[in-house]
Amino acid sequence: MLDYFRRDTGREDPRLMMDRYATVITQVSGLRLDPLPQVESASRGDILATYFKQSPFLWDADQEGEVAGQIALFRTLGLIPADFALAARDQASPLNGIAGIYDPSGKHVLLVKGASGDELARTLTHELVHAAQDQAIGLTAYQERYSGTLDATLAATALLEGQAQAVQVLQMLRSQMPDDAETYLAEILSQPMELVPTPGEQFLSELSLAPYGAGALFVLQRYQDGQEKDFAAMFDQVPTTTEQILHRDKFVAGEEPEQSPLAGKAEGIAKALGGTVLYQTRLGELVIASLMAKSDDESASRAAAGWNGDWAVVIQMRDGANVALLDTLWDSTEDAADVVAVLNAPAPAETLPDAPSSPRILHDAKRVLLISGPDDAVAETEAVVRTLDLAPSP
């Protein structure tokens, strides 16, 4: 650690600097950091590679299997281009701005070579919060516990990243406007934020970053309510869905999603099709909202807020083509009707020109099932779903 600060920042007394940041974190959040982690320098490429190993898409996934399945699902649903490759994340991505990361496996912080000034302070504070979280709850065990679905993983990530972001916001308010910190915090929380990732080349990058903004609002709201000034206490009730992250009232009420009729049935559908299940998960409101981002209609956001559960499956057919089934459940008949209207609306050509053009939409009062893929695969899949009595009943 001493070598890093002397070589890359010119600071001769890094221990005092680290102690000061640790003290700030404790004062703002109640999280304690003892002992201080080691700090090592690394290239941005190495830091980005470490990030992807820890990203929400890799918590419960092996590189060859589940991640490939996730990409196949997003591609078949039209959230990413047909020719998308994981290597695209490394080029022209907002993630390239990452200047540091805390690695729970090595209990150390990696900081980009040459970091200094504001970048060093901002990055180091953020990563030290993660180190303090690790000491409080054990990040590896936390990740394993909340990795059941993509939705649950994103929600759990939002709490972690939200706390790290919130510490920086609260410290800035306390240091720059100590007499009006609460007023400015209320103003921050009242401002609308664009949290929904947009379909396209940067969808995965935006989805990776979404827990930072959404999580910060979630944590700051809990903090402002005055019931949870100690961040460690927030882990006593971890949000389980992105719906709970986006709608605090759903979190307070402990509202959980309904189970889709497709959950547990994917293997049977694939067997009837002579295919193979590549991936299945609950996507959650955040990702479902992205599917409706093609529409500027207010009904899109209103309907997404009515999310009450989903299950997504991507199956590789006998001929190698992929077909996706997305079963969604909604709070009301009005929500379901809005969803059908949005999904049936043509997407602007500039949104994602190679998105699937003819998805099949089956629905009843509060359930909407979308089947997407090549026309022949969609027709065959619809027939199987109906035969297995898994289709919505109008």
Side-chain angles (χ1 to χ4, degrees):
M1 179 173 69
L2 182 61
D3 289 342
Y4 170 83
F5 282 95
R6 284 179 172 170
R7 180 176 63 252
D8 290 338
T9 72
R11 296 180 183 273
E12 296 296 323
D13 196 351
R15 180 63 56 175
L16 289 177
M17 180 182 178
M18 295 275 283
D19 281 341
R20 185 171 68 255
Y21 288 162
T23 298
V24 167
I25 290 170
T26 300
Q27 290 174 341
V28 171
S29 70
L31 292 170
R32 299 188 177 278
L33 193 57
D34 185 20
L36 295 172
Q38 292 296 308
V39 177
E40 301 174 12
S41 63
S43 67
R44 287 191 189 272
D46 288 341
I47 290 172
L48 196 60
T50 302
Y51 171 82
F52 284 133
K53 289 179 181 178
Q54 299 177 194
S55 79
F57 307 104
L58 303 182
W59 275 17
D60 58 350
D62 63 89
Q63 297 267 356
E64 298 300 323
E66 199 151 346
V67 172
Q70 289 175 351
I71 298 304
L73 176 63
F74 292 146
R75 184 186 291 125
T76 309
L77 289 175
L79 288 169
I80 57 177
D83 60 353
F84 178 87
L86 283 175
R89 297 182 307 182
D90 300 331
Q91 303 295 328
S93 167
L95 294 172
N96 283 323
I98 293 176
I101 192 167
Y102 173 72
D103 183 0
S105 65
K107 307 297 182 185
H108 59 214
V109 174
L110 298 179
L111 286 179
V112 69
K113 296 175 182 178
S116 59
D118 291 342
E119 182 181 42
L120 173 64
R122 183 172 59 251
T123 303
L124 188 55
T125 300
H126 186 104
E127 302 311 328
L128 287 179
V129 171
H130 290 322
Q133 291 168 335
D134 193 22
Q135 292 182 12
I137 61 168
L139 289 183
T140 300
Y142 178 88
Q143 291 168 347
E144 291 174 353
R145 181 177 180 184
Y146 296 104
S147 62
T149 65
L150 181 60
D151 185 33
T153 300
L154 287 169
T157 304
L159 179 55
L160 295 178
E161 299 300 345
Q163 287 190 349
Q165 295 290 94
V167 164
Q168 297 176 75
V169 172
L170 292 171
Q171 173 56 18
M172 181 271 292
L173 292 176
R174 288 185 178 191
S175 62
Q176 297 185 12
M177 47 198 73
D179 296 331
D180 299 309
E182 293 296 326
T183 300
Y184 278 98
L185 176 57
E187 183 175 337
I188 290 172
L189 294 174
S190 69
Q191 299 300 314
M193 284 188 64
E194 181 55 57
L195 301 172
V196 177
T198 303
E201 287 282 354
Q202 295 303 321
F203 173 76
L204 280 185
S205 295
E206 291 183 18
L207 187 58
S208 294
L209 294 173
Y212 290 72
L217 291 177
F218 175 78
V219 170
L220 288 170
Q221 184 64 63
R222 292 175 71 174
Y223 182 91
Q224 186 191 44
D225 288 349
Q227 298 176 354
E228 291 171 318
K229 299 294 187 184
D230 184 348
F231 281 20
M234 293 187 186
F235 294 106
D236 293 339
Q237 183 185 358
V238 174
T240 57
T241 66
T242 51
E243 179 188 48
Q244 292 183 358
I245 292 291
L246 296 171
H247 308 285
R248 175 160 167 72
D249 59 321
K250 302 292 182 73
F251 169 75
V252 172
E255 183 171 314
E256 294 291 341
E258 289 187 23
Q259 181 169 302
S260 158
L262 288 193
K265 304 296 184 180
E267 296 295 342
I269 297 172
K271 182 178 180 180
L273 291 168
T276 304
V277 175
L278 297 180
Y279 179 65
Q280 57 180 316
T281 194
R282 188 181 71 226
L283 293 178
E285 182 180 333
L286 185 65
V287 177
I288 298 299
S290 295
L291 278 172
M292 293 182 273
K294 66 182 182 181
S295 173
D296 293 328
D297 192 332
E298 290 183 3
S299 64
S301 58
R302 184 172 67 249
W307 177 90
N308 193 32
D310 73 73
W311 197 253
V313 181
V314 60
I315 295 173
Q316 187 173 65
M317 306 288 279
R318 293 181 299 272
D319 61 0
N322 293 332
V323 62
L325 299 92
L326 175 58
D327 193 31
T328 59
L329 308 172
W330 301 93
D331 290 333
S332 70
T333 56
E334 291 80 7
D335 293 330
D338 285 340
V339 168
V340 171
V342 170
L343 293 178
N344 277 324
E350 65 273 14
T351 302
L352 203 59
D354 54 359
S357 57
S358 303
R360 185 74 172 97
I361 300 171
L362 311 175
H363 62 93
D364 58 23
K366 295 184 181 180
R367 182 180 170 211
V368 180
L369 172 61
L370 180 147
I371 306 174
S372 181
D375 290 343
D376 289 347
V378 168
E380 186 177 358
T381 302
E382 179 185 351
V384 166
V385 169
R386 291 187 181 281
T387 298
L388 295 177
D389 198 25
L390 293 173
S393 301

